[in-house]
Amino acid sequence: MSQKRAPLVDPSKNLARFDGHVRIVGTGLLGASIGLALTGDGLDVALADASPSQLRLAVDYGAGRPAAETDDPDLIIVAVPPDVTADVIAAELERYPRAVVTDVASIKSEPFIELTRRGLDLTNYIGSHPMAGRERGGAISARADLFVGRPWVICRDESTPRQALALIEDLALDLGAVPIEMTPDEHDDAVGLISHVPQLVSSLLAARLVDAPDAALRLTGQGLRDTVRIASSQPELWVQILGANAAPVADVLTALRKDLDSVIDALEHPDARGSRRHLADAIAAGNIGVARLPGKHGQDQRFAQIVVMVDDRPGELGRLLTELGEINVNMEDLRLEHSPGTAVGLAEISVLPEVKQRTIEDLEARGWRIASV
Amino acid sequence: MSQKRAPLVDPSKNLARFDGHVRIVGTGLLGASIGLALTGDGLDVALADASPSQLRLAVDYGAGRPAAETDDPDLIIVAVPPDVTADVIAAELERYPRAVVTDVASIKSEPFIELTRRGLDLTNYIGSHPMAGRERGGAISARADLFVGRPWVICRDESTPRQALALIEDLALDLGAVPIEMTPDEHDDAVGLISHVPQLVSSLLAARLVDAPDAALRLTGQGLRDTVRIASSQPELWVQILGANAAPVADVLTALRKDLDSVIDALEHPDARGSRRHLADAIAAGNIGVARLPGKHGQDQRFAQIVVMVDDRPGELGRLLTELGEINVNMEDLRLEHSPGTAVGLAEISVLPEVKQRTIEDLEARGWRIASV
């Protein structure tokens, strides 16, 4: 497939490099989003799903066509729940021996070990994991741009065939993602730390609210809301993920419990020598940890921000947006901040990083004041 | 003061009910924000701060005038760090025996016990705690609307004088806040659960990132970012808060540790009978806890949301905002969501709840499609 690559449709985008046939098994959020993006690039995408109604929905949403008996796919993407991923990969490898097969499951060691145990020829299999998701699942929440700017882990070891690796890297790039190569173990340790442990910690914290007095909950602010946001995740999915990545998650939680023990000890003896220091150290260690996260915290990493000062008069914000259109800038997001009684509000607009400087210059030339860059 | 209340300046707002003299001690974020709001209502606000430069900054920002020797305040608001709150309250009660004194410290039992221990007459003191804040501190971050729609705890017990209680309730209402009466112990248990424990849990989680491999951190998504956002809080402030509310926080953390222990046990024996069930129960308990939080999660509680479908053509969003101005609707916030390749984007606008229905009707009359209400 990489040999017969079509010319780029749009040199500004990294899209439509495939011209082979794609088959997607599982049309939930990830499968349907991949289908939407590849269909949008003009590819033939065949969809399969154990649930006929889910499949019909994904077809209706434009993620592809229903798979046919006569299909002869070049690339197969398995996007099914973790606990059936190995079975489906095995079935696809057997049914389509010519195709390269990947999966998007969020754990990579366990399926690989299971497939190896079955004695399958894994030359055509290469596991991957796009780090993208939404709070809502299903084809109904699918988005063609779900993967733009997101990391896409591709699992390789010394035996991984170069050609299969290149094909999956192209897939990730075509979808706008950033391919990152890791071994299955490196991947599972990493997601244990940055995804599975935060899920459990958020859930354990939220569980403390179950028996809380109503009056206490009325005081809830944004800090608690943010900390427990992911605690609304589905138990059915997470028990599969946690079960398949139990050891790395247990290791991190055990280290966290050691820190928790000494914080509790300091709180139980707040006037003991060293207790205050210990609490300050615990908060300071959190400062250091959160500062290591790439990019500005809490903001969409894909875009650059520009803060424009907008007079608090009717129509001024509309004029700003109209002029952004006139200077041909596509605004990706907008946040407003204004305090009643002040004469000026702040409009934080998000743009693609490459147009940030030009946008600032063009806006300033038109008399807009930029508050911070 | 409540006897000589001026008529309401604007019947649509609950402002400017005071006409007495206000003194604010401590001109950080909270003190300066209260000063901004009351000055904006036309009140005489005298400011005092141990730091002359902080005081000058707050005066420059319009939070009030510097305090004078001849001042004779009716209401004193103490907004200093927790560990000096009791000292400052005692000094103010002694210096201005005629004034009602409140404070805004985030712990309420310890200062009250300390003041009682000193044998002071506390008839004129009533503690309070506005549940508002920002990530940035200082007068430079002050906002007159910081308290709008936020809970404002007012601490009472059977000996609290009615008149002082009414005065502080009026203050909270004048600033747009929602007064909530609690005893000091009820308050401290509540904020231990919904503020202090989340802070420590977020910090302990973020501390796990200190030694993480760079490659793992590159995979960070929004879930981890949200969960550790408050871990960037100041150790200096938090060690005072935690030290003053140690017992309630230790109780909640001890209960959380019990849950954590059994999650670790399940992960260490993932194939043991009941382990999967136990993990699913832990996630499900988090679901129940987070569902108890009032309002839609993660959204600003003060506003109602309207989702408008906007054609993906230049100028359409500008036209929407211009027309919102024409129908006299003040947009408080705007979020955009659009998927490349689709013909329509979604603009989620936030408005005051009381204008939501009218806005929908006026927009529909002008041909806009409302996506969900």
Side-chain angles (χ1 to χ4, degrees), chain A residues 22 95 101 162 202 248 254-255 257 283 295 316 352:
Chain A
V22 179
R95 182 168 176 191
V101 178
R162 282 190 64 83
S202 183
T254 301
R257 177 173 56 185
I283 304 286
E316 279 298 281
L352 288 173

Side-chain angles (χ1 to χ4, degrees), chain B residues 57-221:
Chain B
L57 192 66
V59 171
D60 283 352
Y61 270 81
R65 60 166 174 86
E69 279 301 316
T70 53
D71 285 344
D72 182 21
D74 301 282
L75 170 65
I76 297 170
I77 299 156
V78 173
V80 298
D83 61 355
V84 292
T85 294
D87 286 342
V88 174
I89 292 169
E92 296 293 318
L93 285 171
E94 192 173 358
R95 183 167 174 189
Y96 299 105
R98 200 182 65 78
V100 170
V101 178
T102 190
D103 72 307
V104 299
S106 49
I107 319 107
K108 300 268 65 98
S109 281
E110 199 181 75
F112 188 74
I113 292 168
E114 172 62 19
L115 292 167
T116 308
R117 197 188 56 74
R118 296 187 193 186
L120 289 163
D121 175 5
L122 297 178
T123 310
N124 279 347
Y125 166 68
I126 184 158
S128 72
H129 180 205
M131 306 293 298
R134 305 189 69 191
E135 281 163 76
R136 293 162 291 181
I140 198 171
S141 305
R143 292 177 56 144
D145 67 346
L146 189 67
F147 309 98
V148 174
R150 302 293 177 193
W152 187 306
V153 178
I154 300 172
C155 285
R156 71 170 307 173
D157 56 28
E158 50 285 359
S159 70
T160 305
R162 282 190 64 85
Q163 198 177 329
L165 186 70
L167 182 66
I168 306 304
E169 276 179 351
D170 283 351
L171 171 69
L173 289 169
D174 285 5
L175 296 173
V178 181
I180 296 178
E181 289 180 19
M182 287 183 168
T183 68
D185 283 345
E186 284 168 351
H187 168 272
D188 287 3
D189 285 350
V191 294
L193 176 66
I194 63 100
S195 169
H196 309 170
V197 164
Q199 176 61 53
L200 279 170
V201 167
S202 182
S203 296
L204 290 168
L205 176 61
R208 291 293 99 222
L209 306 175
V210 171
D211 298 317
D214 286 333
L217 295 177
R218 287 182 65 197
L219 305 187
T220 299

Side-chain angles (χ1 to χ4, degrees), chain A residues 317 321 331 333-336 347-349, chain B residues 333-336:
Chain A
L317 191 62
L321 300 190
M331 183 178 64
D333 201 357
L334 172 67
R335 309 266 9 209
L336 299 179
E348 182 181 283
I349 59 179
Chain B
D333 200 359
L334 173 67
R335 308 268 9 210
L336 299 178

Side-chain angles (χ1 to χ4, degrees), chain A residues 3-235:
Chain A
Q3 301 92 316
K4 44 176 178 162
R5 183 180 298 158
L8 295 181
V9 169
D10 173 356
S12 73
K13 293 167 85 183
N14 211 355
L15 294 175
R17 302 172 76 180
F18 292 124
D19 62 354
H21 297 278
V22 179
R23 169 176 161 88
I24 297 174
V25 186
T27 56
L29 173 65
L30 293 183
S33 291
I34 296 172
L36 264 183
L38 297 180
T39 302
D41 290 346
L43 290 181
D44 169 46
V45 177
L47 302 176
D49 200 296
S51 155
S53 68
Q54 171 114 315
L55 175 61
R56 260 196 310 274
L57 193 64
V59 171
D60 283 351
Y61 270 80
R65 60 166 175 85
E69 280 300 317
T70 53
D71 286 343
D72 182 21
D74 302 282
L75 170 66
I76 297 170
I77 300 156
V78 173
V80 298
D83 62 353
V84 292
T85 294
D87 286 343
V88 174
I89 293 169
E92 295 294 316
L93 286 170
E94 192 174 358
R95 182 168 176 191
Y96 300 105
R98 198 182 67 77
V100 170
V101 178
T102 189
D103 71 308
V104 298
S106 50
I107 318 109
K108 301 270 60 103
S109 282
E110 197 181 78
F112 188 74
I113 292 167
E114 172 62 19
L115 291 167
T116 308
R117 197 188 57 75
R118 296 188 192 184
L120 290 164
D121 175 5
L122 297 179
T123 310
N124 279 347
Y125 167 68
I126 184 158
S128 72
H129 180 206
M131 305 293 295
R134 305 189 70 191
E135 281 163 76
R136 292 161 291 181
I140 198 171
S141 304
R143 294 176 55 143
D145 67 347
L146 189 68
F147 308 100
V148 173
R150 302 292 177 194
W152 187 305
V153 178
I154 300 171
C155 285
R156 69 172 305 176
D157 56 29
E158 51 284 1
S159 69
T160 305
R162 282 190 64 83
Q163 198 177 329
L165 186 70
L167 182 66
I168 305 303
E169 276 180 350
D170 283 351
L171 171 69
L173 289 169
D174 285 5
L175 296 174
V178 181
I180 295 177
E181 289 181 17
M182 287 183 168
T183 67
D185 283 345
E186 284 168 351
H187 169 273
D188 286 3
D189 285 350
V191 295
L193 177 65
I194 62 99
S195 169
H196 308 170
V197 165
Q199 176 61 55
L200 278 170
V201 167
S202 183
S203 296
L204 289 169
L205 176 60
R208 291 292 99 223
L209 306 176
V210 171
D211 298 318
D214 286 333
L217 296 175
R218 287 183 66 195
L219 305 187
T220 300
Q222 199 56 44
L224 175 60
R225 272 175 214 286
D226 284 350
T227 316
V228 298
R229 185 179 62 80
I230 56 173
S232 54
S233 299
Q234 295 169 34

